[in-house]
Amino acid sequence: MLRLVVLISGGGSNLRALLQRCDDPAFPAHVVAVGADRDAAGLVHADEFGVPSFMTPFTAYSSREEWGDALLEAVRPWAPDLVVLSGLMRLLPPRVVDGLGPALINTHPAYLPEFPGAHAVRDALAAGVDETGASVIAVDHGCDNGPLLARERVAVLPGDTEATLHDRIKPVERRLLAEVVEGIAAGRIDLKERA
Ligand code: GRF
């Protein structure tokens, strides 16, 4: 049973979906803690599922590196087998990536390497593409350019807004994330060799 720590910044709908999957005894993982870089609305899902949570506010530290060190200290006691970035809108400092990796993965609402960065859905719309996607990657020192673990195309439909497109992407992200977690638990995905 993999011990997961999930890190969020926002509403946490993908976190909620993962918590629901973990309620299935056949799912080979459980969330031992949820962390956030701010008072994220998504922390309520941890409370509702009885999962401990912590907050390491980015704005409380004088540098990204100091924040990162505090985040490491907040995550480590949970002894995670895998850390999942699920809507964490912060670039992790190298010390954190090295400290948590290679068991550190991220979901992204685009078909990487297309549209990396914090506005992937908006960028795909602006590019006028007729398909984008969802991806799960292993996190390295770059921004959304770590080793691909899973990705799947998602159609962009006429009249899509950022919200309607993102709402079509998220269920795919959630399914891919669950599949990757199952693959890691089953040993089909070896993050050490991907690093
Ligand atoms: C997800 O699409 C994630 O990939 C992106 O931000 C979104 C988070 O959504 N980084 P939520 O907070 O899980 O609803």
Side-chain angles (χ1 to χ4, degrees):
M1 184 65 81
L2 287 182
R3 294 170 58 85
L4 306 182
V5 168
V6 183
L7 301 180
I8 66 169
S9 296
S13 69
N14 287 357
L15 161 68
R16 183 179 185 81
L18 183 59
L19 288 166
Q20 287 167 332
R21 278 305 300 267
C22 290
D23 268 354
D24 172 356
F27 190 68
H30 66 128
V31 179
V32 295
V34 175
D37 67 316
R38 67 191 74 177
D39 188 11
L43 290 171
V44 69
H45 302 310
D47 300 343
E48 189 179 322
F49 280 78
V51 174
S53 62
F54 61 87
M55 204 175 43
T56 309
F58 187 82
T59 52
Y61 297 86
S62 56
S63 73
R64 179 181 298 275
E65 286 64 31
E66 280 189 34
W67 169 74
D69 291 345
L71 183 68
L72 262 182
E73 293 319 304
V75 170
R76 281 200 166 117
W78 297 104
D81 298 305
L82 179 64
V83 177
V84 178
L85 307 186
S86 181
L88 182 74
M89 301 307 279
R90 296 280 177 201
L91 209 52
L92 295 177
R95 266 204 300 269
V96 178
V97 175
D98 295 338
L100 298 180
L104 176 60
I105 63 176
N106 180 33
T107 67
H108 185 75
Y111 195 75
L112 289 172
E114 298 168 3
F115 309 116
H119 306 293
V121 180
R122 184 189 316 171
D123 296 344
L125 268 184
V129 294
D130 57 14
E131 58 178 13
T132 180
S135 305
V136 180
I137 59 171
V139 176
D140 65 8
H141 291 178
C143 173
D144 298 327
N145 63 1
L148 263 173
L149 303 176
R151 64 179 180 171
E152 186 173 308
R153 282 290 183 191
V154 175
V156 180
L157 300 180
D160 260 336
T161 63
E162 185 176 350
T164 60
L165 178 52
H166 209 163
D167 286 346
R168 188 175 312 115
I169 292 170
K170 283 183 180 179
V172 179
E173 280 187 85
R174 295 164 193 164
R175 176 166 44 77
L176 293 182
L177 176 60
E179 288 169 3
V180 166
V181 170
E182 286 175 323
I184 292 167
R188 290 195 300 275
I189 297 176
D190 179 353
L191 293 172
K192 290 185 180 57
E193 78 176 17
R194 303 281 183 115

